Amino acid sequence: MKMASERESDPKVLLVPGSACRHGMKFTWGVGNQLFVFAGTPTSAEDEVSGEGAEAAYVHDVRWNTDMHDVYTRKLVNESNNIFLMLQSHEHGIEGTGRKPQLVKFSRNYRSVLKACIMDLIAARDSVMEEEVKKYYHSQMELFQMIELIWSLCEILFIETLPGGILLVKLLDWLKWHFNEGEKKARDVLREDTPEENPEYWEAVYCYVLQGRIEEARNMLSLHSLRQTDAYESMDELLRKMPCFTYFTGQSTAEFDMKWRHWQEESVRRLEDGEFRNHKNLETICKILIGDDQVFIQLKDLCECWYHMMVSKLLYQNPTVKAFDLQYHTQSCIDAYGGNSKVDPLENILLAAIEFDIHQVIKESSSYLSNWWFVSHLTDLLHHCGQLEAHKLNFGSNLREYLLLEYASGLMSHESLWQVGIPYLDHCPEFGRQYLEQYIEHIPLSSERKAHKVLRICEQRDMHDQANSICKVMGMKALHNDRLGSALSWCLKSKDVTFATYLAEQFLTRYRATGDFSNLDLLDNLGQAMLLSDRLTFLGKYREFHKLYEDGDFEAATSLLLSLLTARLAPKKFWLTLLTDALPLLEADEVVFTSQQTYELMHCLEELSLAEKLEAEEKTDQLVGDHKGFSDAELEKMSLIKLALTRNLARAIVHEGTVLT
């Protein structure tokens, strides 16, 4: 039998298809347990990291620990996440008897969702026709059945502390729920008109007796044609008188032990008196009742495994056994099934639990089970029960946190389960936030809806750098897709001044080309966000000017237009557009611009003309012949603006003089 350390070092080999990969491969990390592998030969250390220089035709998405990604196991993941979160918020101030029942309830909740998953897998296995898929569901079903078997035993031993440490009643329930071969045999027998003629009749009776299900065994015996004979009535009386230890009935262990010895002495006496000599099957039952070792060896096939035999033997040999004494009764049962060499890996986990070696249970489970669901949730529950000391690992994390991080890593590589993995990282105080920051940066933002989800997660956890990074990435995506409104919306969230200036320039450029603004609902509601950059402020105020003009508030529109020019908020290349916008106001029937305002507009027009001349002279001095001045259309606009300004000045002077007089 290999040691755990040896088993953990055994590598798993995955063949990556493609002839190009034979000459070398590179990879880059994905999210969680995910690698993107492609063909290529690294030429330097930098190439190996960046993946440059690859000539790959295909990128292979390699993932591991994906058992929980199945459609049926995803339900288990989501429901167990709810239980996990409730457990973390459980009131730690409750101590003693008040706290223990709640923790047992959490354990049973975990087992209930586990059983529901097993039922779904059984239904899926029975409904599919493909043999490979059927085998997959069957293997998954067997895996989770074993997990539930281990969990329920750990619940009895570590979580549900029983009065006096006597746990055989719970172990019998454990057998009843996980070993139903006797139940199946009994059902087949009961279909017969004469049950005793079925070859499995006595096997069903033996199974019931071995599991301590005395009433069911008596019912089966009552179906026999010889039930009214002395031997059968004697056996029925023995079974009926068999003492059963129950909790919370006021019966002491010593009192039960005394009743048990008297009953077993009577069973031995009847066997020695030969009451069942002529009925070999009843004699076998009586040997079970007196705890004869040889009869358990004979019936080992009905027990199925060593731990079933152990519980059955203890029922009739030591019914008041304490939890810590179980380990002293395992070896004889293991030997009956071929010794330690025949113990399979999953049975080793049960053996470690019986020996109260919690760390070995976790280690063996981590080595053999193909997912981290069981060890992470069980370890967390044991941590809350106070059964697991803070076991520090060599790399700094404690055992509970390490397992939660591993489980969350497996979830983070899934398209939707990554949201379930985040609460587990939240409850890892040492490394959880660092893991989450790294995962957030690698989550593919395939849609705006997903990006908003990730952004909300970052904002709830004050992860400002990651939030800004998401907004910048989504803003650039929107810009590349020619969606200026969405790009500006993401930019405002990231508060990127440079990007905001660039986007405002794009809006203004489009306006100059088309004469219309796009995304009016966004521009009309910028509010204080327009103060992010000067260019964005100008864009917002310029749109406000258009709204005032459309609403007929010419006086306010005039004042705002003039302030945009005189405060030098508008870029100079946009002055001509602003002056052109002033034309309808200058030619209005009523005087809108005062003489002073008209002088200021004239000054702006003159400054614009002078700047153009100076630039032209500078280009000429530098022997640059490709300078483009104002176009003919722009020169014509300037002439019209100058004429309109002259007319408005005369009208304003006359109007002001008349008002003054």
Side-chain angles (χ1 to χ4, degrees):
M1 184 171 58
K2 292 184 179 181
M3 297 299 292
S5 59
E6 295 174 357
R7 292 191 300 267
E8 290 170 0
S9 63
D10 292 343
K12 293 183 178 179
V13 179
L14 175 67
L15 297 178
V16 178
S19 58
C21 295
R22 297 175 183 173
H23 306 292
M25 288 186 291
K26 296 182 181 180
F27 73 89
T28 183
W29 283 103
V31 183
N33 298 338
Q34 182 184 38
L35 288 177
F36 295 108
V37 180
F38 47 91
T41 305
T43 57
S44 66
E46 291 183 359
D47 284 350
E48 191 167 2
V49 175
S50 64
E52 296 178 0
E55 299 179 357
Y58 298 98
V59 176
H60 303 279
D61 185 357
V62 180
R63 306 186 188 194
W64 59 97
N65 291 343
T66 58
D67 284 1
M68 308 308 292
H69 295 183
D70 184 77
V71 63
Y72 297 102
T73 52
R74 287 206 300 268
K75 182 180 178 182
L76 171 65
V77 170
N78 285 296
E79 292 181 351
S80 57
N81 176 60
N82 295 331
I83 301 171
F84 173 81
L85 291 177
M86 287 190 292
L87 177 58
Q88 308 314 306
S89 60
H90 183 56
E91 182 57 54
H92 292 278
I94 302 176
E95 298 294 341
T97 57
R99 180 169 168 76
K100 184 64 67 174
Q102 289 297 317
L103 294 172
V104 174
K105 182 179 179 181
F106 282 119
S107 177
R108 289 174 179 170
N109 287 340
Y110 276 126
R111 289 199 295 116
S112 67
V113 298
L114 191 55
K115 288 179 180 177
C117 179
I118 293 170
M119 297 301 294
D120 290 341
L121 289 170
I122 292 174
R125 179 199 62 186
D126 296 340
S127 62
V128 297
M129 301 299 294
E130 298 84 354
E131 196 61 32
E132 287 299 320
V133 179
K134 190 182 289 288
K135 287 181 180 179
Y136 169 75
Y137 284 136
H138 184 75
S139 64
Q140 286 291 90
M141 179 267 296
E142 288 184 332
L143 171 66
F144 284 111
Q145 281 181 336
M146 195 63 189
I147 288 176
E148 203 278 328
L149 177 73
I150 298 169
W151 188 302
S152 55
L153 180 62
C154 291
E155 179 184 302
I156 295 170
L157 297 176
F158 306 132
I159 302 171
E160 189 175 10
T161 306
L162 301 169
I166 300 174
L167 73 167
L168 195 61
V169 174
K170 292 294 180 180
L171 290 178
L172 291 174
D173 289 337
W174 182 60
L175 290 185
K176 175 182 176 181
W177 288 111
H178 296 95
F179 295 90
N180 53 11
E181 192 62 33
E183 197 79 41
K184 293 178 181 177
K185 292 178 183 295
R187 283 198 297 267
D188 293 339
V189 167
L190 293 175
R191 293 192 184 100
E192 303 287 344
D193 294 332
T194 310
E196 64 195 75
E197 294 179 357
N198 191 301
E200 294 186 334
Y201 172 80
W202 286 107
E203 290 183 358
V205 176
Y206 297 154
C207 286
Y208 280 142
V209 176
L210 289 169
Q211 293 183 8
R213 301 172 66 176
I214 303 304
E215 286 302 316
E216 289 90 336
R218 290 180 63 200
N219 291 335
M220 290 293 292
L221 289 175
S222 68
L223 300 176
H224 201 281
S225 59
L226 301 176
R227 59 185 175 275
Q228 294 182 346
T229 61
D230 292 340
Y232 278 81
E233 288 182 352
S234 176
M235 177 54 66
D236 184 68
E237 184 182 6
L238 279 179
L239 294 174
R240 179 170 51 83
K241 289 182 176 180
M242 176 179 168
C244 294
F245 184 85
T246 54
Y247 304 112
F248 313 114
T249 58
Q251 185 183 36
S252 66
T253 305
E255 184 180 355
F256 169 78
D257 205 35
M258 182 183 65
K259 290 181 178 179
W260 178 268
R261 283 201 308 272
H262 285 305
W263 173 81
Q264 204 160 55
E265 287 171 0
E266 183 179 353
S267 301
V268 172
R269 181 183 57 79
R270 293 191 184 189
L271 181 64
E272 292 176 347
D273 289 347
E275 292 189 14
F276 311 113
R277 184 180 298 114
N278 298 325
H279 303 275
K280 295 300 181 183
N281 295 312
L282 295 183
E283 190 175 51
T284 300
I285 295 174
C286 193
K287 288 181 179 180
I288 296 174
L289 298 183
I290 66 173
D292 182 74
D293 285 324
Q294 288 303 315
V295 77
F296 289 104
I297 301 296
Q298 295 171 11
L299 300 177
K300 69 175 185 178
D301 291 339
L302 295 180
C303 289
E304 299 182 50
C305 56
W306 62 265
Y307 44 92
H308 186 319
M309 178 185 286
M310 180 190 71
V311 177
S312 298
K313 287 180 69 174
L314 288 173
L315 172 61
Y316 297 105
Q317 293 180 353
N318 190 1
T320 57
V321 65
K322 302 296 179 66
F324 280 97
D325 293 330
L326 284 179
Q327 56 189 303
Y328 304 118
H329 301 273
T330 57
Q331 192 59 52
S332 62
C333 299
I334 292 174
D335 292 340
Y337 286 87
N340 291 336
S341 61
K342 299 296 183 180
V343 177
D344 65 38
L346 294 175
E347 289 178 344
N348 267 325
I349 302 174
L350 294 173
L351 187 58
I354 291 171
E355 293 173 352
F356 275 80
D357 191 345
I358 296 178
H359 287 97
Q360 190 64 23
V361 171
I362 296 169
K363 185 176 181 179
E364 296 278 353
S365 301
S366 302
S367 300
Y368 286 110
L369 300 180
S370 56
N371 63 71
W372 296 95
W373 182 90
F374 169 68
V375 287
S376 59
H377 289 92
L378 179 64
T379 303
D380 176 67
L381 183 59
L382 293 175
H383 167 77
H384 283 85
C385 293
Q387 294 281 2
L388 191 71
E389 67 270 16
H391 185 69
K392 203 74 172 178
L393 301 177
N394 294 331
F395 43 85
S397 178
N398 63 55
L399 183 58
R400 169 189 173 271
E401 179 163 327
Y402 167 75
L403 294 172
L404 290 178
L405 290 173
E406 288 295 326
Y407 176 63
S409 298
L411 299 180
M412 293 302 291
S413 59
H414 191 266
E415 291 78 5
S416 61
L417 292 180
W418 62 269
Q419 301 172 80
V420 183
I422 290 176
Y424 292 95
L425 298 176
D426 288 338
H427 289 91
C428 295
E430 195 164 357
F431 294 111
R433 185 176 179 88
Q434 292 93 315
Y435 270 62
L436 181 56
E437 289 174 353
Q438 292 297 319
Y439 288 140
I440 288 293
E441 292 176 359
H442 290 84
I443 292 177
L445 305 175
S446 53
S447 66
E448 291 210 355
R449 181 181 179 185
K450 186 174 182 179
H452 278 108
K453 286 182 180 179
V454 180
L455 181 62
R456 186 163 57 251
I457 289 169
C458 294
E459 291 172 344
Q460 291 170 350
R461 292 158 179 79
D462 296 327
M463 298 167 62
H464 303 298
D465 292 342
Q466 286 72 24
N468 288 338
S469 176
I470 291 167
C471 293
K472 290 177 182 179
V473 169
M474 294 305 296
M476 290 303 298
K477 278 188 176 182
L479 179 62
H480 292 155
N481 292 326
D482 201 28
R483 296 167 55 227
L484 279 182
S486 178
L488 181 58
S489 177
W490 284 108
C491 175
L492 296 178
K493 292 176 182 177
S494 67
K495 296 181 172 55
D496 187 336
V497 177
T498 305
F499 194 36
T501 302
Y502 176 79
L503 291 175
E505 286 279 3
Q506 294 299 308
F507 272 100
L508 294 173
T509 301
R510 289 194 178 187
Y511 174 78
R512 291 178 66 185
T514 63
D516 291 314
F517 280 114
S518 60
N519 305 102
L520 295 180
D521 54 338
L522 177 61
L523 297 180
D524 291 344
N525 296 282
L526 283 174
Q528 293 185 350
M530 71 172 66
L531 302 177
L532 183 60
S533 76
D534 291 344
R535 198 56 45 85
L536 187 60
T537 303
F538 168 70
L539 175 63
K541 289 297 182 181
Y542 185 51
R543 171 56 195 159
E544 187 178 336
F545 159 76
H546 278 271
K547 285 184 65 179
L548 292 172
Y549 183 83
E550 291 168 1
D551 295 341
D553 192 351
F554 297 141
E555 185 175 347
T558 299
S559 178
L560 180 56
L561 180 67
L562 194 63
S563 66
L564 292 176
L565 285 165
T566 56
R568 301 297 189 267
L569 191 61
K572 189 158 289 188
K573 64 181 180 181
F574 213 75
W575 280 18
L576 183 57
T577 303
L578 292 177
L579 291 170
T580 304
D581 288 335
L583 271 175
L585 296 173
L586 292 170
E587 299 289 350
D589 294 336
E590 297 182 5
V591 178
V592 180
F593 287 97
T594 65
S595 58
Q596 182 61 37
Q597 291 174 331
T598 307
Y599 282 129
E600 291 178 352
L601 291 176
M602 286 180 166
H603 177 72
C604 291
L605 181 61
E606 188 64 27
E607 184 177 341
L608 185 63
S609 301
L610 182 60
E612 174 60 26
K613 289 178 181 178
L614 291 174
E615 185 178 356
E617 292 175 1
E618 183 179 350
K619 295 292 183 182
T620 302
D621 293 340
Q622 296 176 359
L623 302 177
V624 178
D626 60 348
H627 171 67
K628 295 181 180 179
F630 288 120
S631 64
D632 293 340
E634 289 173 334
L635 290 173
E636 185 177 354
K637 280 184 183 179
M638 293 177 70
S639 299
L640 291 174
I641 293 170
K642 187 179 292 186
L643 179 61
L645 287 170
T646 304
R647 290 177 180 174
N648 188 79
L649 179 61
R651 292 168 60 203
I653 291 173
V654 172
H655 177 73
E656 290 168 5
T658 303
V659 173
L660 182 62
T661 303

